[in-house]
Amino acid sequence: MLLSLSSRFVGNVYLIQCKGRIVLGAEVKALEAMLDEGAREFSRLVVELSEVSRLDSIGLGLLVRFSERMRRRGGDLRLAGPPKFLTDLLKLTKVSALLESYATEEEAIQSYLRERPTVAVQKQEGPRVLVVDESADLCVFVRTVLMQHGYDVRSTCSFRDAKTLLQVEGIEYLVVGPSTPRLSAETVMQSLTALAPRAKALQLDPEFKIRDVQEASDALLQLFASGD
C-alpha cells in the first residue's frame, strides 16, 4: 500500500496521520513535505502511525531529524499509535529514547497540552481563546487577528479535538464559527460550554466568512468587546 497522508491542527499541535508505507522514494518525500508544511507554523508535531505497514531506515531517520529540529525550537515530534513491529524496532535500535511514543493520538496531543510553558512565554500570554470551525482558513484568520491584539489563541477544525483541548486548557473565551462538521453551531456551542462553563461563549454570524478583511476584523473585535 502506498502512503496516504492527512493533517490537521489541534490548538498549537500539528497532527499528521499516516496510512501505508514510509519508505525511501515518493513516500518519504511526501511525508517530509507535510512535516515541512506543519513546521512553518508549529513546533509541536504528532505523527500518527497506527495504520503504517512498513518503516525503513530512511523513514525513521526523517522522523528523528524532525524531532531534533523541533526540539531546537522548543518543541518536539512525538509518535502516536505505533504498531507492534514499530515499537519493537524503536526499542531494538534504541531510538525509543529519541522519539516519544503514545498509544493514541489523543494521549500524544495531551502530552503537549499538559506541559507548563516557560516563564518567558507565561509573561506574554493574554486571555486564552479557543476557536472552533470546520474551515482551517477561518481559524487561521481569527487566530491571527486576535493574537495581534494580545490574546493567546488555540484553534481546531474538529469538535472532538475541541473537547480534548478543553480537558486540559484553561479557556477564557470560546469562539464557535458558522460552520461545524455534521453538527449545528448551536449544538457545538452547547456541548463545549458545558465543558468550560466559566468561559465566555461567542458565536460568529453566518455572514462572517464572506466579509472583507477589515470588516471581519472589526466585527470580531467588537464581538470580544461586547463579551467583556
Side-chain angles (χ1 to χ4, degrees):
M1 177 181 177
L2 299 177
L3 183 63
S4 172
L5 299 170
S6 62
S7 65
R8 69 181 193 272
F9 52 84
V10 185
N12 59 2
V13 180
Y14 188 80
L15 173 72
I16 299 175
Q17 292 177 303
C18 306
K19 297 181 182 180
R21 306 177 304 162
I22 303 176
V23 295
L24 176 63
E27 289 85 358
V28 162
K29 289 181 180 179
L31 178 55
E32 182 175 14
M34 187 163 283
L35 286 167
D36 272 326
E37 180 180 342
R40 292 192 189 105
E41 184 175 356
F42 300 87
S43 62
R44 296 174 167 187
L45 308 179
V46 171
V47 180
E48 206 281 332
L49 300 166
S50 62
E51 296 188 56
V52 167
S53 58
R54 185 185 171 202
L55 177 72
D56 69 8
S57 59
I58 299 300
L60 183 58
L62 173 68
L63 295 175
V64 172
R65 177 161 62 85
F66 266 85
S67 175
E68 294 172 344
R69 174 176 164 184
M70 294 302 101
R71 287 173 184 172
R72 287 195 294 270
R73 293 170 49 188
D76 200 1
L77 180 150
R78 296 174 184 174
L79 309 181
K84 186 178 184 303
F85 86 87
L86 182 50
T87 300
D88 293 342
L89 175 65
L90 294 175
K91 291 179 180 178
L92 180 65
T93 59
K94 300 187 184 301
V95 175
S96 56
L98 303 176
L99 289 171
E100 291 187 37
S101 298
Y102 296 85
T104 66
E105 64 180 46
E106 183 173 293
E107 290 179 25
I109 292 166
Q110 289 186 351
S111 74
Y112 284 121
L113 301 180
R114 290 195 172 97
E115 291 179 348
R116 296 183 63 182
T118 63
V119 173
V121 172
Q122 287 178 336
K123 289 181 178 178
Q124 296 173 0
E125 286 186 351
R128 186 163 292 185
V129 182
L130 175 61
V131 182
V132 185
D133 189 83
E134 70 175 0
S135 168
D137 291 337
L138 182 140
C139 287
V140 170
F141 173 77
V142 172
R143 186 170 72 237
T144 301
V145 171
L146 293 179
M147 288 178 70
Q148 294 302 313
H149 287 79
Y151 292 90
D152 179 23
V153 188
R154 310 286 189 271
S155 60
T156 179
C157 302
S158 164
F159 175 62
R160 184 186 69 176
D161 291 340
K163 293 193 290 184
T164 297
L165 289 166
L166 289 175
Q167 290 173 20
V168 181
E169 302 277 24
I171 298 298
E172 297 174 56
Y173 291 89
L174 174 64
V175 179
V176 175
S179 300
T180 51
R182 297 182 299 279
L183 297 171
S184 69
E186 291 74 17
T187 299
V188 172
M189 179 71 79
Q190 291 173 3
S191 300
L192 296 183
T193 51
L195 295 174
R198 296 183 180 180
K200 296 178 180 179
L202 306 173
Q203 187 169 340
L204 301 178
D205 67 69
E207 304 298 314
F208 186 84
K209 287 185 176 181
I210 61 175
R211 293 177 175 175
D212 64 35
V213 171
Q214 188 61 55
E215 185 182 358
S217 298
D218 291 344
L220 179 63
L221 295 175
Q222 287 173 9
L223 185 63
F224 270 73
S226 65
D228 289 333

